[in-house]
Amino acid sequence: MEYKELIEKESKYLMQTYRRKPVYLVSGKGSYVYDDAGNKYLDLVAGIAVNTLGYAHPKLTAAVETAVKTLHHTSNLFYTRPQVELAQKLVENSPFDRVFFANSGAEAVEGAIKLARKYWWQKGEEKYEIISAVNSFHGRTMGALSATGQEKYQKPFRPLVPGFVYVPYNDLNALEKALTSKTAAVILEPVQGESGVNPADPAYLQKVAELCREKNILLIFDEVQTGVGRTGKLFAFEHFGVVPDIITLAKGLAGGVPIGAVLAKEEVAKAFEPGDHASTFGGNPLACTAALAVLEEVLAPGFLEEVLDKGKLFYTLLADAPGIKEVRGYGLMLGIELNFPGAGRVSEILLAKGVLINNVGEWILRIVPPLIITREEIREASEKILLAVKEAGVDGAL
């Protein structure tokens, strides 16, 4: 299908919920994607932190092919080996005891919220309030949207699910004041991604964990974006010296095959009983086989150390450059804050230069490339980013 015809049909047949870039992608290899005209783009978006192993990775490709040729889906009414092996792999490489598989990050957050409420209901305690952070992002389903602390996403869809309270991020006093006898859980992202790659203060997260233990409140970390090696650790909470009661995973877990997961400690996980929660597609053999292939690579000796080193290389090449106020984040989840409102323009310029990047508003660029990106590609990307920032800032901004 030609580009023009594709655009016309997209406009006619699809609900117009996305502001798409004018690019018709048809294939990918490694860290690059290719459009219908054969143009090559270095991908710093990776499906928004999803394509952990980039494109056409031989192990992921072989895993998916094997699953499709044997058993790609069956309901959760039956046992399947990939699902059990994936759960075992996640448990053995984490401080958690049990896993529930969903289809997406939003569904994983829904599952975590339900698990927290069920946990207290089962104990006979009327605790249902969930405290979330301002500028958080937990998904677009009604429960996850209600947990999301951003008015712009919530306003058209009110009334929201009741029982959610929002407090400023990194503000312990505000959190303490928001606690009530009804507080069931606190849900936080260790690094807020959608609002501009804002890491939590480690001391803040440690105090929150202490407070939750002291007040008998569950702590949930939303690691949908930060999990599975994105920050240079298998889980971002490892950077902060804090272990939550529940975490959610999704984006990078199966490298582009849809999957979500809720991991919890035994004491909490056992609150879920047959019939409490379910998913038709969640954890099917195809998704779990793909996730096993991804985890095998991510957990290979030296892989996560490489992610940390490559993140540091990005930082070294970009920090303190003209037009850039700050580079922040962990591993290969970085935010570049500009000192002028031109992130959208920089993104457009980079597109023309063959680099895909995500801008969060007009001040921040988000870098979440495939974790297999090479140092040479990082140098290429950084050089083009600096040129684009300079070009966008020509109008007296720099």
Side-chain angles (χ1 to χ4, degrees), residues 170-201:
N170 278 329
D171 187 336
L172 188 67
N173 289 333
L175 178 62
E176 283 187 282
K177 288 178 182 174
L179 298 178
T180 73
S181 61
K182 309 294 185 190
T183 304
V186 174
I187 182 169
L188 294 170
E189 298 158 279
V191 182
Q192 289 188 331
E194 197 274 343
S195 60
V197 189
N198 299 307
D201 182 336

PDB file of all heavy atoms in Angstrom, residues 170-201:
ATOM      1  N   ASN A 170       8.048  12.969  45.609  1.00  0.00           N
ATOM      2  CA  ASN A 170       9.248  13.295  46.395  1.00  0.00           C
ATOM      3  C   ASN A 170       8.953  14.196  47.595  1.00  0.00           C
ATOM      4  O   ASN A 170       9.835  14.905  48.074  1.00  0.00           O
ATOM      5  CB  ASN A 170      10.328  13.964  45.521  1.00  0.00           C
ATOM      6  CG  ASN A 170      11.151  12.938  44.747  1.00  0.00           C
ATOM      7  OD1 ASN A 170      11.352  11.821  45.205  1.00  0.00           O
ATOM      8  ND2 ASN A 170      11.622  13.325  43.574  1.00  0.00           N
ATOM      9  N   ASP A 171       7.695  14.199  48.080  1.00  0.00           N
ATOM     10  CA  ASP A 171       7.300  15.035  49.217  1.00  0.00           C
ATOM     11  C   ASP A 171       6.746  14.131  50.318  1.00  0.00           C
ATOM     12  O   ASP A 171       5.564  13.771  50.321  1.00  0.00           O
ATOM     13  CB  ASP A 171       6.247  16.054  48.759  1.00  0.00           C
ATOM     14  CG  ASP A 171       5.911  17.063  49.854  1.00  0.00           C
ATOM     15  OD1 ASP A 171       6.110  16.744  51.050  1.00  0.00           O
ATOM     16  OD2 ASP A 171       5.454  18.166  49.514  1.00  0.00           O
ATOM     17  N   LEU A 172       7.590  13.755  51.258  1.00  0.00           N
ATOM     18  CA  LEU A 172       7.193  12.813  52.308  1.00  0.00           C
ATOM     19  C   LEU A 172       6.135  13.408  53.234  1.00  0.00           C
ATOM     20  O   LEU A 172       5.199  12.718  53.647  1.00  0.00           O
ATOM     21  CB  LEU A 172       8.413  12.386  53.123  1.00  0.00           C
ATOM     22  CG  LEU A 172       8.156  11.255  54.118  1.00  0.00           C
ATOM     23  CD1 LEU A 172       7.830   9.954  53.404  1.00  0.00           C
ATOM     24  CD2 LEU A 172       9.349  11.064  55.051  1.00  0.00           C
ATOM     25  N   ASN A 173       6.277  14.701  53.558  1.00  0.00           N
ATOM     26  CA  ASN A 173       5.298  15.330  54.450  1.00  0.00           C
ATOM     27  C   ASN A 173       3.896  15.275  53.854  1.00  0.00           C
ATOM     28  O   ASN A 173       2.917  15.005  54.562  1.00  0.00           O
ATOM     29  CB  ASN A 173       5.693  16.785  54.726  1.00  0.00           C
ATOM     30  CG  ASN A 173       6.915  16.879  55.615  1.00  0.00           C
ATOM     31  OD1 ASN A 173       7.174  15.968  56.410  1.00  0.00           O
ATOM     32  ND2 ASN A 173       7.667  17.952  55.487  1.00  0.00           N
ATOM     33  N   ALA A 174       3.791  15.544  52.569  1.00  0.00           N
ATOM     34  CA  ALA A 174       2.481  15.503  51.906  1.00  0.00           C
ATOM     35  C   ALA A 174       1.908  14.095  51.958  1.00  0.00           C
ATOM     36  O   ALA A 174       0.693  13.905  52.164  1.00  0.00           O
ATOM     37  CB  ALA A 174       2.611  15.971  50.457  1.00  0.00           C
ATOM     38  N   LEU A 175       2.767  13.106  51.779  1.00  0.00           N
ATOM     39  CA  LEU A 175       2.302  11.722  51.826  1.00  0.00           C
ATOM     40  C   LEU A 175       1.807  11.365  53.225  1.00  0.00           C
ATOM     41  O   LEU A 175       0.730  10.763  53.387  1.00  0.00           O
ATOM     42  CB  LEU A 175       3.440  10.783  51.413  1.00  0.00           C
ATOM     43  CG  LEU A 175       3.127   9.278  51.455  1.00  0.00           C
ATOM     44  CD1 LEU A 175       2.006   8.931  50.482  1.00  0.00           C
ATOM     45  CD2 LEU A 175       4.367   8.458  51.136  1.00  0.00           C
ATOM     46  N   GLU A 176       2.561  11.772  54.229  1.00  0.00           N
ATOM     47  CA  GLU A 176       2.156  11.484  55.610  1.00  0.00           C
ATOM     48  C   GLU A 176       0.802  12.095  55.927  1.00  0.00           C
ATOM     49  O   GLU A 176      -0.046  11.478  56.579  1.00  0.00           O
ATOM     50  CB  GLU A 176       3.213  12.008  56.586  1.00  0.00           C
ATOM     51  CG  GLU A 176       4.448  11.147  56.671  1.00  0.00           C
ATOM     52  CD  GLU A 176       5.401  11.604  57.780  1.00  0.00           C
ATOM     53  OE1 GLU A 176       6.116  12.598  57.544  1.00  0.00           O
ATOM     54  OE2 GLU A 176       5.408  10.989  58.837  1.00  0.00           O
ATOM     55  N   LYS A 177       0.590  13.326  55.460  1.00  0.00           N
ATOM     56  CA  LYS A 177      -0.672  14.028  55.732  1.00  0.00           C
ATOM     57  C   LYS A 177      -1.847  13.368  55.016  1.00  0.00           C
ATOM     58  O   LYS A 177      -2.993  13.480  55.441  1.00  0.00           O
ATOM     59  CB  LYS A 177      -0.564  15.486  55.294  1.00  0.00           C
ATOM     60  CG  LYS A 177       0.337  16.318  56.201  1.00  0.00           C
ATOM     61  CD  LYS A 177       0.457  17.751  55.684  1.00  0.00           C
ATOM     62  CE  LYS A 177       1.402  18.560  56.578  1.00  0.00           C
ATOM     63  NZ  LYS A 177       1.645  19.914  56.031  1.00  0.00           N
ATOM     64  N   ALA A 178      -1.561  12.686  53.892  1.00  0.00           N
ATOM     65  CA  ALA A 178      -2.638  12.073  53.111  1.00  0.00           C
ATOM     66  C   ALA A 178      -3.069  10.712  53.658  1.00  0.00           C
ATOM     67  O   ALA A 178      -4.117  10.190  53.284  1.00  0.00           O
ATOM     68  CB  ALA A 178      -2.185  11.916  51.659  1.00  0.00           C
ATOM     69  N   LEU A 179      -2.265  10.128  54.535  1.00  0.00           N
ATOM     70  CA  LEU A 179      -2.601   8.808  55.077  1.00  0.00           C
ATOM     71  C   LEU A 179      -3.832   8.875  55.970  1.00  0.00           C
ATOM     72  O   LEU A 179      -3.982   9.794  56.763  1.00  0.00           O
ATOM     73  CB  LEU A 179      -1.425   8.257  55.884  1.00  0.00           C
ATOM     74  CG  LEU A 179      -0.108   8.006  55.144  1.00  0.00           C
ATOM     75  CD1 LEU A 179       0.949   7.501  56.111  1.00  0.00           C
ATOM     76  CD2 LEU A 179      -0.294   7.021  54.001  1.00  0.00           C
ATOM     77  N   THR A 180      -4.701   7.883  55.815  1.00  0.00           N
ATOM     78  CA  THR A 180      -5.865   7.764  56.698  1.00  0.00           C
ATOM     79  C   THR A 180      -6.000   6.301  57.117  1.00  0.00           C
ATOM     80  O   THR A 180      -5.245   5.442  56.653  1.00  0.00           O
ATOM     81  CB  THR A 180      -7.166   8.193  55.983  1.00  0.00           C
ATOM     82  OG1 THR A 180      -7.529   7.174  55.038  1.00  0.00           O
ATOM     83  CG2 THR A 180      -7.010   9.513  55.264  1.00  0.00           C
ATOM     84  N   SER A 181      -6.984   6.043  57.942  1.00  0.00           N
ATOM     85  CA  SER A 181      -7.225   4.642  58.360  1.00  0.00           C
ATOM     86  C   SER A 181      -7.719   3.802  57.185  1.00  0.00           C
ATOM     87  O   SER A 181      -7.756   2.574  57.270  1.00  0.00           O
ATOM     88  CB  SER A 181      -8.247   4.622  59.488  1.00  0.00           C
ATOM     89  OG  SER A 181      -9.484   5.176  59.051  1.00  0.00           O
ATOM     90  N   LYS A 182      -8.104   4.466  56.078  1.00  0.00           N
ATOM     91  CA  LYS A 182      -8.607   3.749  54.893  1.00  0.00           C
ATOM     92  C   LYS A 182      -7.519   3.484  53.864  1.00  0.00           C
ATOM     93  O   LYS A 182      -7.790   2.878  52.827  1.00  0.00           O
ATOM     94  CB  LYS A 182      -9.721   4.574  54.212  1.00  0.00           C
ATOM     95  CG  LYS A 182     -10.831   5.051  55.136  1.00  0.00           C
ATOM     96  CD  LYS A 182     -11.640   3.912  55.685  1.00  0.00           C
ATOM     97  CE  LYS A 182     -12.838   4.422  56.510  1.00  0.00           C
ATOM     98  NZ  LYS A 182     -13.498   3.322  57.243  1.00  0.00           N
ATOM     99  N   THR A 183      -6.303   3.956  54.105  1.00  0.00           N
ATOM    100  CA  THR A 183      -5.249   3.810  53.105  1.00  0.00           C
ATOM    101  C   THR A 183      -4.832   2.342  52.965  1.00  0.00           C
ATOM    102  O   THR A 183      -4.361   1.731  53.928  1.00  0.00           O
ATOM    103  CB  THR A 183      -4.012   4.650  53.479  1.00  0.00           C
ATOM    104  OG1 THR A 183      -4.410   6.019  53.649  1.00  0.00           O
ATOM    105  CG2 THR A 183      -2.966   4.563  52.378  1.00  0.00           C
ATOM    106  N   ALA A 184      -5.009   1.828  51.764  1.00  0.00           N
ATOM    107  CA  ALA A 184      -4.643   0.435  51.483  1.00  0.00           C
ATOM    108  C   ALA A 184      -3.229   0.322  50.935  1.00  0.00           C
ATOM    109  O   ALA A 184      -2.501  -0.619  51.251  1.00  0.00           O
ATOM    110  CB  ALA A 184      -5.623  -0.169  50.482  1.00  0.00           C
ATOM    111  N   ALA A 185      -2.855   1.282  50.075  1.00  0.00           N
ATOM    112  CA  ALA A 185      -1.560   1.166  49.399  1.00  0.00           C
ATOM    113  C   ALA A 185      -1.094   2.519  48.890  1.00  0.00           C
ATOM    114  O   ALA A 185      -1.884   3.440  48.690  1.00  0.00           O
ATOM    115  CB  ALA A 185      -1.668   0.188  48.224  1.00  0.00           C
ATOM    116  N   VAL A 186       0.207   2.592  48.673  1.00  0.00           N
ATOM    117  CA  VAL A 186       0.828   3.721  47.978  1.00  0.00           C
ATOM    118  C   VAL A 186       1.394   3.162  46.681  1.00  0.00           C
ATOM    119  O   VAL A 186       2.085   2.137  46.700  1.00  0.00           O
ATOM    120  CB  VAL A 186       1.962   4.338  48.817  1.00  0.00           C
ATOM    121  CG1 VAL A 186       2.698   5.409  48.013  1.00  0.00           C
ATOM    122  CG2 VAL A 186       1.418   4.915  50.112  1.00  0.00           C
ATOM    123  N   ILE A 187       1.077   3.794  45.551  1.00  0.00           N
ATOM    124  CA  ILE A 187       1.620   3.353  44.267  1.00  0.00           C
ATOM    125  C   ILE A 187       2.514   4.454  43.705  1.00  0.00           C
ATOM    126  O   ILE A 187       2.110   5.622  43.621  1.00  0.00           O
ATOM    127  CB  ILE A 187       0.513   2.960  43.259  1.00  0.00           C
ATOM    128  CG1 ILE A 187       1.136   2.456  41.949  1.00  0.00           C
ATOM    129  CG2 ILE A 187      -0.447   4.118  42.991  1.00  0.00           C
ATOM    130  CD1 ILE A 187       0.135   1.807  41.007  1.00  0.00           C
ATOM    131  N   LEU A 188       3.741   4.088  43.370  1.00  0.00           N
ATOM    132  CA  LEU A 188       4.713   5.061  42.854  1.00  0.00           C
ATOM    133  C   LEU A 188       5.516   4.456  41.711  1.00  0.00           C
ATOM    134  O   LEU A 188       5.756   3.245  41.683  1.00  0.00           O
ATOM    135  CB  LEU A 188       5.688   5.478  43.966  1.00  0.00           C
ATOM    136  CG  LEU A 188       5.115   6.261  45.142  1.00  0.00           C
ATOM    137  CD1 LEU A 188       6.163   6.356  46.251  1.00  0.00           C
ATOM    138  CD2 LEU A 188       4.658   7.654  44.726  1.00  0.00           C
ATOM    139  N   GLU A 189       5.962   5.309  40.798  1.00  0.00           N
ATOM    140  CA  GLU A 189       6.966   4.923  39.802  1.00  0.00           C
ATOM    141  C   GLU A 189       8.335   5.303  40.376  1.00  0.00           C
ATOM    142  O   GLU A 189       8.521   6.463  40.767  1.00  0.00           O
ATOM    143  CB  GLU A 189       6.747   5.687  38.505  1.00  0.00           C
ATOM    144  CG  GLU A 189       5.421   5.436  37.828  1.00  0.00           C
ATOM    145  CD  GLU A 189       5.063   6.582  36.881  1.00  0.00           C
ATOM    146  OE1 GLU A 189       4.551   7.613  37.373  1.00  0.00           O
ATOM    147  OE2 GLU A 189       5.314   6.449  35.680  1.00  0.00           O
ATOM    148  N   PRO A 190       9.300   4.399  40.397  1.00  0.00           N
ATOM    149  CA  PRO A 190      10.642   4.778  40.870  1.00  0.00           C
ATOM    150  C   PRO A 190      11.241   5.895  40.020  1.00  0.00           C
ATOM    151  O   PRO A 190      11.990   6.734  40.515  1.00  0.00           O
ATOM    152  CB  PRO A 190      11.445   3.487  40.734  1.00  0.00           C
ATOM    153  CG  PRO A 190      10.439   2.399  40.718  1.00  0.00           C
ATOM    154  CD  PRO A 190       9.211   2.978  40.090  1.00  0.00           C
ATOM    155  N   VAL A 191      10.895   5.885  38.736  1.00  0.00           N
ATOM    156  CA  VAL A 191      11.251   6.975  37.828  1.00  0.00           C
ATOM    157  C   VAL A 191       9.984   7.304  37.038  1.00  0.00           C
ATOM    158  O   VAL A 191       9.465   6.453  36.320  1.00  0.00           O
ATOM    159  CB  VAL A 191      12.373   6.578  36.847  1.00  0.00           C
ATOM    160  CG1 VAL A 191      12.740   7.770  35.949  1.00  0.00           C
ATOM    161  CG2 VAL A 191      13.603   6.064  37.585  1.00  0.00           C
ATOM    162  N   GLN A 192       9.479   8.513  37.197  1.00  0.00           N
ATOM    163  CA  GLN A 192       8.292   8.894  36.429  1.00  0.00           C
ATOM    164  C   GLN A 192       8.695   9.082  34.971  1.00  0.00           C
ATOM    165  O   GLN A 192       9.526   9.942  34.655  1.00  0.00           O
ATOM    166  CB  GLN A 192       7.691  10.184  36.975  1.00  0.00           C
ATOM    167  CG  GLN A 192       7.020  10.022  38.331  1.00  0.00           C
ATOM    168  CD  GLN A 192       6.266  11.278  38.753  1.00  0.00           C
ATOM    169  OE1 GLN A 192       6.626  12.395  38.377  1.00  0.00           O
ATOM    170  NE2 GLN A 192       5.226  11.096  39.561  1.00  0.00           N
ATOM    171  N   GLY A 193       8.123   8.276  34.092  1.00  0.00           N
ATOM    172  CA  GLY A 193       8.549   8.309  32.696  1.00  0.00           C
ATOM    173  C   GLY A 193       7.776   9.286  31.839  1.00  0.00           C
ATOM    174  O   GLY A 193       8.352  10.170  31.194  1.00  0.00           O
ATOM    175  N   GLU A 194       6.470   9.163  31.853  1.00  0.00           N
ATOM    176  CA  GLU A 194       5.640   9.923  30.923  1.00  0.00           C
ATOM    177  C   GLU A 194       5.683  11.425  31.190  1.00  0.00           C
ATOM    178  O   GLU A 194       5.461  12.227  30.288  1.00  0.00           O
ATOM    179  CB  GLU A 194       4.197   9.399  31.004  1.00  0.00           C
ATOM    180  CG  GLU A 194       3.298   9.777  29.868  1.00  0.00           C
ATOM    181  CD  GLU A 194       2.646  11.132  30.081  1.00  0.00           C
ATOM    182  OE1 GLU A 194       2.636  11.623  31.233  1.00  0.00           O
ATOM    183  OE2 GLU A 194       2.155  11.695  29.101  1.00  0.00           O
ATOM    184  N   SER A 195       5.967  11.806  32.419  1.00  0.00           N
ATOM    185  CA  SER A 195       5.981  13.236  32.740  1.00  0.00           C
ATOM    186  C   SER A 195       7.368  13.850  32.575  1.00  0.00           C
ATOM    187  O   SER A 195       7.576  15.012  32.947  1.00  0.00           O
ATOM    188  CB  SER A 195       5.487  13.452  34.174  1.00  0.00           C
ATOM    189  OG  SER A 195       6.320  12.783  35.108  1.00  0.00           O
ATOM    190  N   GLY A 196       8.334  13.066  32.069  1.00  0.00           N
ATOM    191  CA  GLY A 196       9.617  13.680  31.754  1.00  0.00           C
ATOM    192  C   GLY A 196      10.848  13.031  32.349  1.00  0.00           C
ATOM    193  O   GLY A 196      11.873  13.689  32.517  1.00  0.00           O
ATOM    194  N   VAL A 197      10.780  11.744  32.660  1.00  0.00           N
ATOM    195  CA  VAL A 197      11.908  10.997  33.236  1.00  0.00           C
ATOM    196  C   VAL A 197      12.389  11.699  34.516  1.00  0.00           C
ATOM    197  O   VAL A 197      13.474  12.286  34.582  1.00  0.00           O
ATOM    198  CB  VAL A 197      13.067  10.815  32.235  1.00  0.00           C
ATOM    199  CG1 VAL A 197      14.108   9.843  32.807  1.00  0.00           C
ATOM    200  CG2 VAL A 197      12.563  10.314  30.890  1.00  0.00           C
ATOM    201  N   ASN A 198      11.552  11.628  35.535  1.00  0.00           N
ATOM    202  CA  ASN A 198      11.857  12.230  36.833  1.00  0.00           C
ATOM    203  C   ASN A 198      12.129  11.137  37.857  1.00  0.00           C
ATOM    204  O   ASN A 198      11.197  10.487  38.336  1.00  0.00           O
ATOM    205  CB  ASN A 198      10.678  13.098  37.307  1.00  0.00           C
ATOM    206  CG  ASN A 198      10.387  14.221  36.343  1.00  0.00           C
ATOM    207  OD1 ASN A 198      11.281  14.987  35.981  1.00  0.00           O
ATOM    208  ND2 ASN A 198       9.142  14.307  35.886  1.00  0.00           N
ATOM    209  N   PRO A 199      13.383  10.908  38.234  1.00  0.00           N
ATOM    210  CA  PRO A 199      13.688   9.872  39.221  1.00  0.00           C
ATOM    211  C   PRO A 199      13.261  10.300  40.622  1.00  0.00           C
ATOM    212  O   PRO A 199      13.329  11.486  40.975  1.00  0.00           O
ATOM    213  CB  PRO A 199      15.219   9.734  39.151  1.00  0.00           C
ATOM    214  CG  PRO A 199      15.631  10.423  37.888  1.00  0.00           C
ATOM    215  CD  PRO A 199      14.619  11.501  37.667  1.00  0.00           C
ATOM    216  N   ALA A 200      12.861   9.319  41.414  1.00  0.00           N
ATOM    217  CA  ALA A 200      12.569   9.592  42.820  1.00  0.00           C
ATOM    218  C   ALA A 200      13.871   9.825  43.565  1.00  0.00           C
ATOM    219  O   ALA A 200      14.924   9.306  43.192  1.00  0.00           O
ATOM    220  CB  ALA A 200      11.831   8.414  43.434  1.00  0.00           C
ATOM    221  N   ASP A 201      13.790  10.612  44.615  1.00  0.00           N
ATOM    222  CA  ASP A 201      14.922  10.760  45.529  1.00  0.00           C
ATOM    223  C   ASP A 201      15.047   9.450  46.308  1.00  0.00           C
ATOM    224  O   ASP A 201      14.074   9.014  46.934  1.00  0.00           O
ATOM    225  CB  ASP A 201      14.621  11.924  46.479  1.00  0.00           C
ATOM    226  CG  ASP A 201      15.763  12.190  47.446  1.00  0.00           C
ATOM    227  OD1 ASP A 201      16.546  11.255  47.699  1.00  0.00           O
ATOM    228  OD2 ASP A 201      15.854  13.314  47.960  1.00  0.00           O
TER     229      ASP A 201
END
